[in-house]
Amino acid sequence: MHDEEPISSFVFSSVGDQQTFHHQWLVDGQLHECSTCYSSIDADEPPSQHWLQCGEEQRPQLSKQQQAVLDIIEARQIETFFICDESAKDKLEHFMAETCARAVPELLRWMFHNGSQRVEFNLACYVNVLDQVHIFQSGTLGVQHHYDIEECVSVIYEMITQRIENYLASSHNVGLDECSITRIRIQVKRMRDDNNESEGSSLDLPLPLQLRHEAASSGSSNTSESELASLRAAYVKHQRECHGYFPSNMRVNLYGLQQCQTTKELYVVPYHISETLQQQPNKNFLILNNIMGQFQRLHELQTPIASSNSSSRSRSQSRSPLQCRRCRTQFKSRSRLQIHQQLRCGQDFSVDSIHPDIIEIYEQCLPISRSVFQYACYGITKPKTVMRKGQFVPIECDWRSKSSVQVQHGPCVVISNSQLSSPCKLS
């Protein structure tokens, strides 16, 4: 842990016949070099070659196996997932932190493939404490841009962890180290555009949250629709045929978005900078692509963006924390405050208790390889059957009142509150 917020810089430098780009940050008086944000090209190359060179590595690609699993998820209309770890007992913070840092964001990134334009999700954690099971559930949060995924999950993780800690202290007089979480449930709803090949639908991709406030404060676009359509066509043509080399008479400045794979910071980089030969300065546009790297639209920027904009933004944020007017919680970034406000300061978070005798059975579930999410993951496809004291009662799948302790590896998942030594098996 650092005592102060890191201050990032995204630097272009030229040495001899080479132009390099690298990311570094200053924290506690020490300068750190990023191991993932580095690129070197010939000095006479356009800046677009930096990002085309490393774009394939950063772009989240699905393997054939992962795509096949996603096709099954779509065909069965799976919207509920369990991530499980039987070995996580007495390691509440570790399992939950690892799952929210890696597994949940990766699952949500999956959901943005195949034409999804928006994803809504909520999390539920099953906390075992003093022979009782409590379900702590977050409110539902909508994610409109894939670059917002990590930050949205991070805010929910912090809020739900705080509520678990407060509840355990007030109701059971215990801390996080005296309970365990072995199950996390994610409910996901995808909003798709079945006509995503049409030009009109691609205009709906919004800016990421980290840039939305800056764009709103800079004013509206003064470019006509016909001019924008011509520029869009020219960009697509030269991007496809010339691989990022644009003609000198293309009198606009184009910028792209990059995300640091280490710190998850989002920053704006030059893509094509044209010389200004007229009295009027060049117009500036931001290139917006979907999660697969496919071009969606151009967003006009009212002012050019300096390559060090992320550095100045981080510095101003670290000095001037933002505060929620309703609950007085402080945040170091405006985007985290916006997410917090979308969640209504946690007013829709809830806690339920589950009877220890309840066992739930989900048939024909979809097991997902551990290599994808690190922990065992199951997609729930059928309404659950609840067994209590020998009685089977079929009910509809109500995600507010599920319990979870034991899972069977296979097409049928048995979720129980009993402390069994091994998963239940059904013939």
Side-chain angles (χ1 to χ4, degrees):
M1 297 296 292
H2 298 294
D3 295 331
E4 61 183 54
E5 186 75 5
I7 299 175
S8 287
S9 299
F10 303 93
V11 183
F12 290 89
S13 58
S14 295
V15 178
D17 60 351
Q18 291 292 303
Q19 178 192 121
T20 62
F21 166 80
H22 57 102
H23 171 205
Q24 54 190 205
W25 59 86
L26 183 68
V27 61
D28 295 338
Q30 294 185 349
L31 189 65
H32 301 265
E33 292 286 344
C34 180
S35 60
T36 55
C37 296
Y38 177 85
S39 174
S40 179
I41 61 175
D42 292 340
D44 58 350
E45 296 279 2
S48 60
Q49 301 308 300
H50 280 294
W51 326 120
L52 292 174
Q53 178 176 283
C54 61
E56 292 296 329
E57 300 175 2
Q58 292 191 3
R59 193 174 303 146
Q61 300 286 345
L62 297 182
S63 66
K64 291 183 178 179
Q65 179 184 7
Q66 292 171 341
Q67 184 62 54
V69 172
L70 181 58
D71 292 340
I72 296 174
I73 290 173
E74 291 186 346
R76 297 187 183 180
Q77 298 182 337
I78 297 175
E79 295 183 340
T80 302
F81 300 86
F82 282 106
I83 297 178
C84 319
D85 182 21
E86 290 301 330
S87 66
K89 296 174 181 177
D90 303 323
K91 295 186 297 181
L92 180 148
E93 291 183 274
H94 175 76
F95 169 61
M96 190 172 172
E98 284 290 314
T99 302
C100 290
R102 298 178 55 185
V104 176
E106 183 64 22
L107 175 63
L108 295 179
R109 277 191 288 269
W110 270 31
M111 299 298 105
F112 264 99
H113 286 76
N114 289 13
S116 295
Q117 292 185 308
R118 175 185 169 92
V119 169
E120 293 182 352
F121 77 102
N122 59 63
L123 296 182
C125 304
Y126 300 90
V127 179
N128 307 304
V129 56
L130 302 178
D131 297 324
Q132 299 183 41
V133 179
H134 300 297
I135 300 177
F136 292 84
Q137 181 185 295
S138 75
T140 299
L141 180 62
V143 185
Q144 294 181 296
H145 197 287
H146 56 275
Y147 278 142
D148 296 332
I149 289 175
E150 278 89 356
E151 202 162 31
C152 287
V153 176
S154 175
V155 172
I156 283 186
Y157 164 72
E158 292 177 0
M159 294 175 69
I160 203 169
T161 302
Q162 186 63 52
R163 276 153 181 75
I164 293 173
E165 187 172 10
N166 292 344
Y167 180 85
L168 295 179
S170 61
S171 299
H172 299 285
N173 197 28
V174 298
L176 294 177
D177 56 343
E178 298 182 60
C179 58
S180 66
I181 291 181
T182 56
R183 299 286 179 271
I184 292 180
R185 187 185 63 238
I186 309 100
Q187 178 125 353
V188 184
K189 187 174 292 292
R190 305 168 68 201
M191 282 63 176
R192 295 187 53 182
D193 183 1
D194 295 330
N195 300 315
N196 61 341
E197 297 298 326
S198 67
E199 181 177 303
S201 64
S202 66
L203 299 177
D204 295 332
L205 181 65
L207 289 172
L209 281 173
Q210 293 182 37
L211 302 178
R212 210 171 295 170
H213 173 76
E214 296 177 17
S217 61
S218 64
S220 59
S221 171
N222 56 8
T223 302
S224 66
E225 281 298 324
S226 59
E227 184 181 356
L228 188 58
S230 298
L231 178 59
R232 212 161 39 227
Y235 168 80
V236 172
K237 178 179 184 297
H238 288 93
Q239 181 74 2
R240 180 178 62 248
E241 298 178 0
C242 304
H243 198 61
Y245 291 85
F246 298 95
S248 57
N249 60 357
M250 192 172 176
R251 300 297 176 193
V252 294
N253 298 331
L254 299 177
Y255 297 87
L257 287 175
Q258 292 290 309
Q259 186 176 44
C260 176
Q261 299 304 298
T262 302
T263 65
K264 302 304 180 182
E265 290 177 89
L266 190 63
Y267 52 96
V268 176
V269 293
Y271 199 86
H272 165 76
I273 304 299
S274 176
E275 294 183 6
T276 302
L277 300 181
Q278 303 171 353
Q279 292 183 351
Q280 292 293 330
N282 293 335
K283 292 185 177 181
N284 305 280
F285 294 90
L286 182 65
I287 304 165
L288 294 178
N289 298 328
N290 64 14
I291 196 170
M292 297 297 293
Q294 299 166 337
F295 173 69
Q296 298 294 287
R297 71 180 182 96
L298 295 173
H299 177 85
E300 184 171 3
L301 303 168
Q302 297 305 305
T303 57
I305 296 180
S307 60
S308 61
N309 71 317
S310 296
S311 174
S312 61
R313 184 168 61 245
S314 297
R315 188 177 289 109
S316 64
Q317 287 174 359
S318 62
R319 292 179 178 176
S320 304
L322 301 169
Q323 182 172 269
C324 176
R325 294 181 178 179
R326 176 181 292 176
C327 66
R328 306 302 181 186
T329 303
Q330 291 189 341
F331 299 88
K332 294 181 178 179
S333 72
R334 190 173 297 276
S335 53
R336 297 182 77 87
L337 172 60
Q338 289 177 318
I339 296 169
H340 172 85
Q341 291 173 336
Q342 288 180 38
L343 291 166
R344 294 169 13 106
C345 307
Q347 288 188 16
D348 297 326
F349 284 48
S350 64
V351 55
D352 295 319
S353 298
I354 299 299
H355 195 285
D357 292 339
I358 289 180
I359 298 176
E360 298 176 0
I361 301 173
Y362 297 87
E363 298 181 352
Q364 299 180 15
C365 293
L366 176 67
I368 301 176
S369 172
R370 286 177 179 265
S371 63
V372 178
F373 299 124
Q374 183 182 3
Y375 299 104
C377 181
Y378 299 88
I380 305 302
T381 62
K382 290 282 188 178
K384 67 182 179 182
T385 300
V386 174
M387 181 180 72
R388 181 175 178 182
K389 297 181 180 178
Q391 299 294 321
F392 283 88
V393 183
I395 63 175
E396 291 300 318
C397 184
D398 177 8
W399 53 268
R400 286 184 58 85
S401 57
K402 297 192 186 84
S403 58
S404 171
V405 170
Q406 296 295 337
V407 172
Q408 173 188 350
H409 297 271
C412 181
V413 177
V414 179
I415 301 177
S416 166
N417 286 331
S418 304
Q419 298 294 330
L420 303 177
S421 59
S422 61
C424 297
K425 299 182 182 295
L426 298 183
S427 58

